[in-house]
Each structure stands twice: as structure tokens, then as C-alpha cells.
Amino acid sequence: MSYLKLKNVKKSFGEIEIIHGVDLDVTEGEFCVFVGPSGCGKSTLLRLIAGLETVSSGSVSLAGRDITEVSPSQRDLAMVFQSYALYPHKTVRQNLGFALMLAKTPKDELDRQVNEAAEKLQLTPLLDRKPGELSGGQRQRVAIGRSIVRKPKLFLFDEPLSNLDAALRVQMRIELAQMHQQLATTMVYVTHDQVEAMTLANRVVVLRDGIVEQQGAPMSLYLNPINRFVAGFMGTPKMNFMDASVDGSVISAEGASIALPAGLIAGDVQSTGSVGFRPEHMEICNPEQGLWTGEVLVLERMGGDAYCHVKLASGEVLLVRTHGRVDTRTGETIGIRTALDEAHVFDGNGSTISQRSEGLIHAA
């Protein structure tokens, strides 16, 4: 049953429509992530749910209650912003308990809820410090804890990790995932970072220009993107695309004629479009063994992995994810081959015309 429901939600600023009729059903306890490029409308959609922006048309309901016209303070939800928005003159304990104090919660109950939230977020040793004495990650945990003590029906996160450095972002992603498991509370999270979307979400909603392009489980979108936009947005590094002609199960791309495995393309398709291969599904080989040959432009060594940028004779540049110890040098001519059953084929409009199994490997 739907817990958070958006029905044909639209938002306009004057004559400019920003959100174009979004329908969304989020089940109770789900971690739903809105992802997309800057300007796609994801933060605006979150603010419509929070009541910080008014809905131009459509409706928003939470736990069976229509909250479209309800003020933000009466919606029984909590929002964590990109900025920590902590009171600098108050201690962590006072920041955590501020909303409860305004609600005139008895002191014993206030202390109990503050201590409980602090323990969950590993803030207990910091309760008597002020925000200026905390690291960025600790401040963000305080901002999250301030929301937890209210026990809302819905948590909203607006790019909460974007101000943190890379190491802290990884740590906070883990802590957010653990917090969701502990609280079992419905969460809606906005980010432009598809890594956060893939690692945190039960459901990913990909937005572009105020329209939902596709929604579903992270691996479902990774394996079976509905179009070229979603294919290019989900997954890191970004998918390689090449212009291609399709004749049944045979594609021609950058001088190579490739027979795809049976069943990857349903029906007798003839089309001019493009084909995509993810960098992790490509590998370096001897030039005579490759589907394509090219010159190594840049080799980015990341430790365990390396990203090899290869320029083909046509001028097209392909990115290959390979082992960090690969014995390849800039300027060298190499071959590239790929896992053909992982090909993503698109027609001239960018719609997907290939399909693949979504089976996952389970531990014995």
C-alpha cells in the first residue's frame, strides 16, 4: 500500500512549468532517492512534499492523509538540508532537543529521546560540545539527530552529504544506510550523485527536466535502463556510446560488425541509433584480438582499478575500466573487446531496444 503518494503533481513559476505531472508511490519503510542532473526538479519536488513550495496542481498524501494544503509544521515530517542549520550558541544536547522543548515535552522524556538519538548516531560523547567544536560529519549527524527525536512519519534529505569531503561522504552513506535499517522509517533523499542513489536506495527515481524518466530498484535501472539518458546517468564511470546501425541481432558500430547473443534484441529490428557498453564490461587486449583498436590517451590509475581512455581511428574516445596494475602506457596502440551480452542498444530516439536478465548472484 502506498505510504507517500504523489498524484499528477505539477509546479509552475509564472508561466514556466518546472514539474510536469509526477506520479509516485512510496511504500512504508522505503528509502527512495530522487536523482538527476542540476535543474531537473528533484529539490523542487522534495520541497513540494515538505510544503515549502505550493503545488500548482495535483495532490500529495502521507499515510492516507491529504497534505497538499497542510502547512509544513503540520505534515509530520522532518527535513535535513544541505547546510547543517545548527544553533551555534547551543550545545549538541540543546540542538537535538530544541524541537521537543518548543513542544513543551516533559524534561525526563526530552532527555530520554535526546540520549536515545545520540546513542544511535554515536553522538553521546559530544553532547556538551557546541557545533564549532565538531567536524563536518559530526555536525551532519546532529542535524539528522534533531530530526530523529521528533519521530516523524517521513524523513526528507536534500543533498545532505554534498558539503562533506570524499572520505566523510562514504562514512556518512554507511551511517545513513544503518540508520534506515534501525529506524525502519520512510525516507526520501535528493542527490545529484548516482553513487549515493545506487548504494542507499530501495527505489531510485531518475528525473530530467521535471519529468520522471524511470523509477525502480537500483540494479533494475542499471541493468535495464529505459532509454539512453538513464543508461548514461546510472553507473560509474559513465557508459560508452557509439553510433550504430541495427539489423536484427547484428549491429555495426565504429567499423565493427557484431553479432549479438540471441534474445538480446526482441523481434526483427532494423534501426539507426546507438549502442552502449559500460567501461566495466570492456577489456584491453592485443590489437589483432579486439573489436576496435585505438591509441591510449590517458591512463588513470586509481589503485585497484585503472581507467583507460582510448581514442579510436574515427576520433571516438572509449573508456575501459581495467586492473590497476595493467601494463599499458600512454600513446600505445591497443585492442578493445567487450561482453556482447551486456550491450545496450538504442533506437534513433534514444529508447532502449535491447533486454537482459536481471538475475543476481546469491551467496551459497
Side-chain angles (χ1 to χ4, degrees):
M1 181 179 176
S2 176
Y3 187 71
L4 172 67
K5 185 177 184 67
L6 277 63
K7 185 175 180 181
N8 197 28
V9 169
K10 298 181 180 180
K11 176 60 181 178
S12 299
F13 292 99
E15 297 181 356
I16 302 174
E17 190 170 78
I18 304 299
I19 303 295
H20 307 279
V22 168
D23 292 301
L24 180 66
D25 291 280
V26 179
T27 58
E28 187 171 5
E30 195 168 28
F31 200 131
C32 179
V33 176
F34 297 166
V35 68
S38 297
C40 71
K42 54 188 184 294
S43 290
T44 299
L45 193 57
L46 195 77
R47 291 173 66 85
L48 291 172
I49 296 170
L52 301 177
E53 298 284 355
T54 57
V55 173
S56 299
S57 65
S59 64
V60 180
S61 61
L62 177 62
R65 174 189 174 213
D66 190 330
I67 59 171
T68 311
E69 303 296 334
V70 176
S71 67
S73 62
Q74 300 300 313
R75 294 195 177 199
D76 200 5
L77 48 79
M79 190 162 181
V80 178
F81 296 92
Q82 180 176 340
S83 60
Y84 314 125
L86 301 177
Y87 295 103
H89 61 289
K90 294 181 182 294
T91 64
V92 169
R93 187 189 307 276
Q94 292 168 331
N95 269 283
L96 290 174
F98 187 72
L100 298 177
M101 184 192 71
L102 291 180
K104 299 183 179 179
T105 304
K107 187 176 186 307
D108 288 349
E109 178 62 15
L110 185 152
D111 289 341
R112 185 189 70 79
Q113 292 190 38
V114 165
N115 290 334
E116 186 179 288
E119 185 176 353
K120 287 178 179 175
L121 294 169
Q122 301 175 22
L123 292 171
T124 302
L126 311 175
L127 283 172
D128 295 320
R129 295 189 189 181
K130 292 183 178 178
E133 303 172 88
L134 306 178
S135 69
Q138 290 168 340
R139 293 180 196 177
Q140 192 58 279
R141 289 209 299 273
V142 175
I144 293 169
R146 186 174 52 189
S147 299
I148 289 176
V149 297
R150 295 176 53 194
K151 293 183 167 58
K153 291 180 178 176
L154 176 67
F155 284 97
L156 304 178
F157 295 90
D158 190 8
E159 304 205 44
L161 309 186
S162 59
N163 286 336
L164 305 180
D165 62 38
L168 270 177
R169 281 201 302 273
V170 173
Q171 178 186 337
M172 284 301 300
R173 280 207 310 267
I174 295 170
E175 292 180 5
L176 279 171
Q178 291 175 332
M179 186 185 80
H180 177 250
Q181 293 171 5
Q182 291 171 1
L183 299 177
T185 306
T186 311
M187 298 181 177
V188 177
Y189 186 104
V190 161
T191 182
H192 64 277
D193 185 347
Q194 58 84 32
V195 173
E196 289 179 21
M198 290 288 292
T199 54
L200 288 173
N202 304 126
R203 178 201 300 267
V204 176
V205 179
V206 181
L207 289 139
R208 176 170 61 163
D209 297 333
I211 296 172
V212 175
E213 290 284 342
Q214 189 175 359
Q215 59 177 298
M219 284 305 295
S220 178
L221 270 61
Y222 173 84
L223 291 169
N224 285 304
I226 198 171
N227 56 32
R228 179 167 164 161
F229 173 79
V230 176
F233 201 86
M234 300 302 295
T236 184
K238 186 178 178 180
M239 182 183 286
N240 295 294
F241 295 105
M242 293 175 276
D243 292 338
S245 60
V246 184
D247 185 1
S249 62
V250 177
I251 62 172
S252 299
E254 296 298 332
S257 183
I258 306 168
L260 297 179
L264 187 63
I265 297 180
D268 186 16
V269 176
Q270 289 189 330
S271 175
T272 299
S274 57
V275 61
F277 293 102
R278 296 194 183 279
E280 58 268 33
H281 297 148
M282 308 185 87
E283 61 178 358
I284 293 171
C285 61
N286 293 327
E288 60 273 12
Q289 296 175 324
L291 287 169
W292 304 280
T293 58
E295 177 189 349
V296 177
L297 289 181
V298 177
L299 184 65
E300 299 178 280
R301 296 190 185 274
M302 312 294 288
D305 291 330
Y307 298 152
C308 188
H309 301 257
V310 184
K311 184 177 181 180
L312 307 185
S314 64
E316 187 77 35
V317 177
L318 300 182
L319 175 61
V320 181
R321 180 178 177 179
T322 187
H323 197 280
R325 295 184 179 181
V326 63
D327 184 21
T328 301
R329 295 175 297 280
T330 300
E332 183 179 352
T333 298
I334 61 170
I336 300 173
R337 58 192 176 199
T338 185
L340 299 181
D341 58 345
E342 298 291 353
H344 294 260
V345 187
F346 311 93
D347 63 20
N349 296 318
S351 297
T352 299
I353 56 176
S354 56
Q355 55 190 6
R356 58 197 36 76
S357 168
E358 292 193 22
L360 299 178
I361 298 172
H362 295 276

